[in-house]
Amino acid sequence: MTDMLHSLHAGEEKRLHRFFHRRLKNRDDVADATQETFLRMLEASHATLIENPQAYLFQVARSVARVILTRQTREQAMFAPDDAGMEEPDEFPLPDRIVNARQCLLIMAKAIEVLPTRCQQVFILSRLRGLSNGEIAAELGISRNMVEKHIIKALLHCRKVRAEIFF
């Protein structure tokens, strides 16, 4: 992580949490949005000269919040109770879609397996077991900052692999 991003993380993480909490109201979404914001900042810092990091951080945060709120709205509409047609089950996925999904899942599992051991442990505890960063830090005896660094590293790796799969 660059020095600029490290100091931003140390100085602005709590404000960023409050920012997301006011908008998203869900603790899990707040943690995910905070990580996504710092992940985007990390990606941007490699390609862009950021003159005002704090302002840029909160601009990125607004964008992340918009994306999450849009997703939540779509999910609410998708999962809204609809009595019509609920008597009959939906069609089963076609066999080729099942095979394709399983192949993608195997590729992603292998991508996670090649991560360094500690990074892999943190990512699994976070994404598969749903533990908070604080819980992971306590369980593994590392700092929350290290937990976040491992998650960011794993997410970047998984994004890269996912982009290769779908493009």
Side-chain angles (χ1 to χ4, degrees), residues 85-99:
M86 292 303 286
E87 298 79 30
E88 295 181 29
D90 290 341
E91 287 185 37
F92 290 103
L94 298 173
D96 62 325
R97 291 188 72 192
I98 293 171
V99 169

Side-chain angles (χ1 to χ4, degrees), residues 26-38:
N26 178 319
R27 193 176 130 213
D28 292 333
D29 286 339
V30 168
D32 287 346
T34 301
Q35 285 180 350
E36 179 67 22
T37 300
F38 282 109

Side-chain angles (χ1 to χ4, degrees), residues 2 8 12 14 21 23 27 42 44 53 65 72 89 94 96 101 106 109 115 122-123 138 148 153 155 161:
T2 66
L8 258 183
E12 299 296 332
K14 288 181 182 177
H21 187 70
R23 285 160 178 77
R27 193 176 130 213
L42 179 63
Q72 287 174 343
L94 298 173
D96 62 325
L106 284 172
L115 290 169
V122 168
F123 187 72
E148 291 171 0
K153 181 177 183 173
L155 287 172
V161 170

Side-chain angles (χ1 to χ4, degrees), residues 67-87:
V67 168
I68 290 173
L69 290 169
T70 301
R71 185 197 75 222
Q72 287 174 343
T73 302
R74 286 183 183 149
E75 286 175 354
Q76 286 172 351
M78 189 169 36
F79 295 113
D82 182 20
D83 296 337
M86 292 303 286
E87 298 79 30

